[in-house]
Amino acid sequence: MKFSEARPGRVFVLRLEQGEVIREVVERFAAEHSVRCAAVVMVGGVERGSRLVAGPEDAMALPIVPIEHLLKDVSELAAVGTLFPGPDGRPSLHAHAAVGREGGAAAGCVRSGMVVWTIIEVVLLELLDCTAQRERDPATGFDLLSP
């Protein structure tokens, strides 16, 4: 295990609206408000056609080829995530969501394009004195957290 320590900073409450792409809006907000590191909680609805990354095609193969799950209809969403600078220094959101509709559910990473249906509520908890960042891992191709 690797770790670093941080302390709480500002708390932001965001309302994302119809048609906005979750990852794009949260990362842009963080950049505009100089939020370097944060914990993120989200709840609301997402549009049909939104996509989750739902696992690798083959867990043992390199390079890793992600599976994308396409939402066939509007779905409820509950998600948690983190925001740290990526290799380019810009805010990079890593969030996993559970989505569902009428008893059916799916879970995965929001990076492929989750589009807001009506509203997504976001609470962004800034972390100060935080040195963590994401660094490119050549073996996986992922931007992995380096605390």
Side-chain angles (χ1 to χ4, degrees):
M1 177 199 327
K2 299 175 183 174
F3 75 95
S4 64
E5 190 171 339
R7 62 183 176 85
R10 300 171 290 177
V11 177
F12 296 96
V13 178
L14 290 70
R15 174 180 161 174
L16 280 58
E17 298 178 317
Q18 181 72 37
E20 292 181 314
V21 178
I22 294 172
R23 183 175 180 184
E24 292 173 5
V25 173
V26 171
E27 288 178 351
R28 183 174 59 245
F29 177 88
E32 290 170 356
H33 291 84
S34 301
V35 176
R36 179 176 156 72
C37 302
V40 182
V41 179
M42 298 179 270
V43 63
V46 288
E47 279 283 5
R48 76 174 49 89
S50 290
R51 297 180 317 275
L52 286 168
V53 173
E57 285 185 5
D58 178 345
M60 305 310 288
L62 290 176
I64 295 170
V65 178
I67 296 170
E68 284 193 350
H69 176 74
L70 181 69
L71 299 182
K72 294 182 180 19
D73 214 331
V74 169
S75 299
E76 300 296 324
L77 171 138
V80 296
T82 59
L83 186 129
F84 295 105
D88 60 3
R90 295 191 322 236
S92 174
L93 176 67
H94 181 205
H96 283 223
V99 296
R101 180 181 176 89
E102 293 188 28
C109 187
V110 305
R111 74 177 177 256
S112 286
M114 298 296 284
V115 178
V116 176
W117 176 80
T118 305
I119 185 174
I120 294 281
E121 299 169 0
V122 178
V123 177
L124 193 143
L125 308 161
E126 182 181 37
L127 303 172
L128 299 177
D129 300 330
C130 179
T131 59
Q133 60 187 20
R134 301 191 197 287
E135 296 177 354
R136 179 60 50 135
D137 175 50
T140 63
F142 292 164
D143 293 341
L144 299 180
L145 183 62
S146 176

